[in-house]
């Protein structure tokens, strides 16, 4: 199961999933099975990358929604000094 599928499945089961820097923030955390914890550990880099893409995509779409005169938008990742095109 790829990162997008795993994120979708977690959300379908009622979990909140987001990236918090280099950490996965998943809640509620008290009922996650040991098997799922292992899968999350193994997939952590891919999950973080996908969640960060979701965040950038949401920022660009929000910008486009608020200014209908724009033909396109990009997100500047100020934490690492790189430009992320979305």
């Amino acid at each position: 199961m790829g990162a997008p599928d795993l994120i979708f499945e977690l959300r379908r089961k009622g979990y909140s999933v987001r990236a918090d820097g280099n950490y996965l923030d998943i809640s509620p955390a008290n009922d996650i099975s040991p098997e799922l914890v292992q899968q999350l550990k193994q997939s952590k880099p891919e999950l973080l990358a996908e969640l960060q893409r979701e965040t950038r995509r949401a920022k660009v779409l929000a910008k486009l929604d608020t200014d209908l005169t724009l033909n396109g938008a990009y997100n500047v990742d100020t934490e690492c000094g790189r430009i992320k095109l979305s």
Side-chain angles (χ1 to χ4, degrees):
M1 180 180 304
D5 295 326
L6 183 54
I7 293 167
F8 175 81
E9 191 61 25
L10 285 165
R11 289 178 175 154
R12 187 186 68 76
K13 291 181 177 180
Y15 291 98
S16 168
V17 185
R18 67 181 191 90
D20 185 11
N22 288 325
Y23 298 95
L24 287 172
D25 183 2
I26 302 172
S27 62
N30 58 348
D31 65 346
I32 298 176
S33 70
E35 295 81 17
L36 182 54
V37 169
Q38 186 61 33
Q39 189 175 11
L40 293 168
K41 285 180 180 180
Q42 290 174 347
S43 303
K44 182 180 173 186
E46 294 86 6
L47 291 167
L48 287 172
E50 181 61 26
L51 291 166
Q52 290 163 351
R53 272 191 292 276
E54 281 185 4
T55 300
R56 287 192 304 271
R57 189 177 310 116
K59 287 179 183 177
V60 168
L61 291 174
K63 181 66 177 171
L64 291 171
D65 281 345
T66 58
D67 188 347
L68 299 177
T69 64
L70 294 176
N71 292 325
Y74 62 90
N75 180 53
V76 177
D77 186 346
T78 56
E79 290 183 20
C80 65
R82 294 181 290 177
I83 295 176
K84 300 283 187 180
L85 298 176
S86 300

